Amino acid sequence: MPENTSDNIAELFFDSPVSGDMPALITREGDRAKTITRSEFEKLVTEFASGLAVLGVERQEPVAILCENRPEWIIADLAIAATGAVSVPVYTTLGADDLRFILEDSGATTLIVQERLLEKLKEVRKALPLLTRIITVGGTEGAQDSLSFEKVLSLGKEELGRAPFRRGAVKRDDIFSIVYSSGTTGRPRGVMLSHGNVISNIEAIKDAIDVDRTDRYLSYLPLSHIFERTTHHFLIHMGCPICYARGFSFVGADMEFFRPTFMIGVPFVFERMKRKVEDSIERLPVARRFILKKAIEWARTGGILKALAAPVVASVRRKVAPTIRFFVSGGAPLSPATAEFFFSLGIPVLEGYGLTETSPVVSVNTLKAWRIGTVGRPLKGVEVRIAEDGEVLVRGASVMKGYFNLPELTAQTIREGWLHTGDRGYIDEQGFLVITGRKKDIIITSAGKNITPQKIENLLREDPYIKDAILYGDQKPHLVALVIPDTERLESLCKELGIEKGVPDCLGNKRLYSFFEKRIRERLRGLSRFEQIHRFALIADDLSCERGELTPTMKLKREAIARRYSSLIDSLY
């Protein structure tokens, strides 16, 4: 596909030379697939854009979307772009306080909301006088003085040709979206991304990721996340059909139903998939279990051992992801052990790196050039350099216009054209970028030792019995940790150890503590003395987005968790 000259995201969509009868968006209804063709997709976007214009939506006016992944989400996004308005995606998992803040801070006048989420809006509606239009998805007329999605389509169809369709007047430098980043600290910050920012990132991704119309993609990460959303616009431009999973818990079954050729995800997803495979192997008879484990081990080598292992490994792959060519991982560091596991099955997990502020992809491993433990080489047109203090700096056309209503923070973050990411890292001898942690997350003990917690936390997450770990120790004599056991393994483990109490009452048991203490010491055996965990506490697997302890992409919010468990952390000293 040749380099495009589109001025905006809507033009990128309408000008793509994709056949009208090709499948574009596919959903599942029971055991049947429902397909929207490319020509139907274009018609829906045109009518909804016209409908928004009929309702009075103006250029650069903020329109918020609070909805789960489904065709209406991306139809609305493209229609908003076509009218020249600004989309404001909102995570469905946010609590009422953050929802109110985003709608208020952005000045959203229109909200496109899934009907089942209207209850969440009720809590904050009175505090939002600017919010005058509600459009419901999957709902009926009249709920909270709303219009249905279908009614807006109908209005647009009636007025097509008379309502202003402004996509030709929208320029690359116009704001496409205000994306409130799900940072691990503080309030969400509105990142202003222009049409040109996202288009430049799509062009660079085309040069790195090998997909075409014969591929099929399964969507399950929230479209509110710029990683999923830019991927959508990239795939729509390339003519690759997008299939919608029914929800995170259905991803496995929907993979089997839709048979995608590639997917993107956050490390949590791939770690969960790896554990399920390992659990299924553990339940096999001794001889078969030994053969499978040995085959996966040999597959990581080369030569004759890999050849001998190939038929056995192929049988595992057929059960895990028979049609997948590759995965792409982003949003947080991927454990090398997880990457190696999938590599041994013949399924590359291409780890990348990016930020909301960079639209988002900065670098990514590719099928032609990849190294486990790195986040790949920078994309074409994206410059990366490392500051003297180890901070990763980024410059290029995909770097944001700035933070909405926060000019001082914008000036602090973008200096002399370079975006200061807040991440630390280095570029290896082959040009691959390695991220070592967040600058603000560095723990400095009272002895003056600088410790990167992510490195230690990732080592612990590689243990099949440990789902997550959160380290603390800033200005303290040594490290302590909160450890979240893998819930699926915990019940059987308690039975093996003769512990009668169930989950979560068993977490204070001394035998259980000793079991985890031994495993933690084994995992951290090669680290320095000051990087060892002196004491830890086992906690329940109940961290949530609603309480602000997790981001919508399952990243831990260290400070929020510390507030909840402050007494417990203090007791470890």
Side-chain angles (χ1 to χ4, degrees):
M1 197 173 282
E3 195 89 358
N4 79 83
T5 55
S6 305
D7 280 332
N8 58 67
I9 291 294
E11 281 190 354
L12 188 73
F13 169 59
F14 284 107
D15 295 345
S16 178
V18 180
S19 171
D21 60 355
M22 285 190 61
L25 309 175
I26 308 171
T27 55
R28 179 176 181 177
E29 295 181 356
D31 290 328
R32 298 181 63 187
K34 182 180 178 183
T35 300
I36 296 174
T37 65
R38 180 69 183 211
S39 57
E40 290 169 338
F41 188 14
E42 291 178 3
K43 179 174 176 285
L44 289 166
V45 171
T46 302
E47 289 175 357
F48 199 76
S50 177
L52 290 177
V54 169
L55 293 175
V57 173
E58 300 288 344
R59 285 187 81 242
Q60 297 296 275
E61 185 175 326
V63 178
I65 305 174
L66 177 65
C67 184
E68 292 167 338
N69 287 23
R70 52 193 292 163
E72 289 92 340
W73 206 114
I74 201 67
I75 289 165
D77 195 34
L78 283 161
I80 292 165
T83 63
V86 178
S87 56
V88 183
V90 185
Y91 285 102
T92 60
T93 53
L94 290 181
D97 189 44
D98 277 341
L99 172 62
R100 179 202 56 76
F101 172 79
I102 290 171
L103 295 176
E104 184 178 54
D105 187 68
S106 65
T109 56
T110 304
L111 174 64
I112 300 164
V113 56
Q114 198 162 340
E115 188 183 40
R116 75 167 192 82
L117 298 168
L118 279 170
E119 202 62 35
K120 186 175 286 191
L121 181 64
K122 274 184 182 177
E123 298 179 47
V124 299
R125 182 74 189 273
K126 289 181 181 178
L128 301 167
L130 294 178
L131 187 63
T132 55
R133 306 182 195 99
I134 305 294
I135 299 169
T136 56
V137 176
T140 54
E141 296 297 320
Q144 290 200 13
D145 302 319
S146 66
L147 290 172
S148 70
F149 195 91
E150 289 71 23
K151 179 64 177 177
V152 178
L153 284 171
S154 177
L155 285 172
K157 187 175 182 179
E158 290 170 11
E159 296 297 321
L160 210 57
R162 291 194 291 274
F165 194 63
R166 313 182 186 100
R167 70 180 172 97
V170 181
K171 303 307 178 189
R172 278 200 172 212
D173 200 46
D174 288 343
I175 298 173
F176 161 60
S177 188
I178 302 173
V179 183
Y180 283 81
S181 63
S182 55
T184 54
T185 58
R187 279 282 195 193
R189 296 178 293 197
V191 175
M192 295 185 291
L193 298 178
S194 70
H195 288 264
N197 288 151
V198 178
I199 290 171
S200 71
N201 207 237
I202 289 169
E203 285 299 322
I205 293 168
K206 277 167 62 176
D207 196 56
I209 300 297
D210 178 28
V211 298
D212 59 32
R213 300 173 197 183
T214 64
D215 281 297
R216 183 174 280 218
Y217 174 76
L218 182 63
S219 170
Y220 65 94
L221 281 185
L223 267 162
S224 303
H225 195 292
I226 192 63
F227 184 27
E228 178 70 28
R229 191 160 162 224
T230 296
T231 298
H232 255 65
H233 287 297
F234 161 62
L235 296 175
I236 289 166
H237 177 59
M238 299 298 289
C240 174
I242 297 171
C243 307
Y244 291 94
R246 293 165 296 169
F248 182 74
S249 58
F250 295 98
V251 168
D254 287 340
M255 279 178 69
E256 190 175 335
F257 179 80
F258 288 116
R259 298 179 69 79
T261 59
F262 85 105
M263 294 162 58
I264 67 172
V266 291
F268 169 77
V269 173
F270 302 116
E271 286 157 8
R272 180 172 170 175
M273 288 176 69
K274 173 177 175 279
R275 287 182 182 183
K276 284 193 171 182
V277 175
E278 290 172 335
D279 284 348
S280 66
I281 291 173
E282 287 298 327
R283 290 193 292 269
L284 294 172
V286 175
R288 180 149 174 76
R289 183 167 69 231
F290 174 81
I291 291 169
L292 281 176
K293 284 185 174 180
K294 190 56 68 176
I296 291 171
E297 181 185 324
W298 286 355
R300 296 173 190 172
T301 60
I304 192 165
L305 289 179
K306 184 173 182 178
L308 288 170
V312 179
V313 168
S315 69
V316 179
R317 176 176 177 161
R318 281 194 295 272
K319 292 180 180 178
V320 178
T323 58
I324 291 288
R325 293 198 296 121
F326 62 90
F327 292 119
V328 179
S329 176
L334 177 70
S335 159
T338 300
E340 286 169 2
F341 175 81
F342 282 100
F343 173 75
S344 69
L345 298 182
I347 308 172
V349 181
L350 306 176
E351 187 176 7
Y353 167 71
L355 306 92
T356 304
E357 290 86 343
T358 55
S359 307
V361 186
V362 170
S363 64
V364 67
N365 283 283
T366 71
L367 291 173
K368 294 177 181 176
W370 60 304
R371 295 188 75 183
I372 290 175
T374 79
V375 292
R377 291 174 176 147
L379 293 182
K380 182 180 178 181
V382 178
E383 295 179 75
V384 174
R385 72 178 176 89
I386 309 300
E388 289 183 7
D389 64 355
E391 184 175 10
V392 178
L393 311 183
V394 178
R395 183 167 68 180
S398 62
V399 172
M400 67 172 180
K401 289 174 71 74
Y403 293 112
F404 188 63
N405 289 335
L406 296 169
E408 291 182 5
L409 181 60
T410 301
Q412 291 169 19
T413 306
I414 304 176
R415 303 198 292 272
E416 297 179 356
W418 290 95
L419 175 80
H420 290 243
T421 65
D423 291 313
R424 296 167 68 99
Y426 64 89
I427 297 173
D428 73 11
E429 68 283 355
Q430 293 186 37
F432 288 81
L433 178 62
V434 179
I435 302 297
T436 57
R438 292 286 298 169
K439 279 179 69 176
K440 289 182 179 179
D441 270 354
I442 294 295
I443 292 173
I444 304 175
T445 67
S446 56
K449 299 292 185 182
N450 284 27
I451 300 169
T452 303
Q454 290 93 339
K455 178 181 76 172
I456 301 169
E457 289 166 350
N458 283 340
L459 285 172
L460 295 177
R461 290 185 192 117
E462 289 175 7
D463 189 286
Y465 286 92
I466 297 174
K467 180 185 176 183
D468 233 319
I470 313 101
L471 265 63
Y472 297 96
D474 202 51
Q475 301 304 310
K476 298 289 187 180
H478 51 253
L479 292 179
V480 298
L482 300 178
V483 175
I484 304 174
D486 183 88
T487 307
E488 292 179 6
R489 292 178 182 259
L490 191 56
E491 192 170 332
S492 59
L493 175 61
C494 286
K495 289 179 181 176
E496 288 175 26
L497 297 175
I499 300 169
E500 294 180 1
K501 290 183 178 179
V503 181
D505 297 331
C506 64
L507 295 176
N509 186 279
K510 290 182 180 179
R511 273 173 286 172
L512 194 65
Y513 186 93
S514 297
F515 175 87
F516 278 92
E517 184 176 37
K518 183 179 178 181
R519 299 189 77 89
I520 289 170
R521 283 178 181 169
E522 182 63 26
R523 287 283 163 188
L524 307 185
R525 186 174 53 183
L527 299 185
S528 304
R529 186 180 179 188
F530 64 84
E531 293 177 300
Q532 301 296 324
I533 293 170
H534 284 238
R535 294 191 69 195
F536 66 93
L538 299 172
I539 62 171
D541 182 15
D542 66 348
L543 301 180
S544 74
C545 296
E546 286 78 3
R547 285 197 300 266
E549 296 154 351
L550 296 172
T551 72
T553 52
M554 309 306 289
K555 284 185 283 191
L556 302 170
K557 290 191 173 185
R558 199 179 304 276
E559 292 179 11
I561 296 167
R563 284 194 294 272
R564 177 179 173 187
Y565 289 102
S566 58
S567 298
L568 181 58
I569 294 169
D570 288 343
S571 73
L572 297 176
Y573 288 100

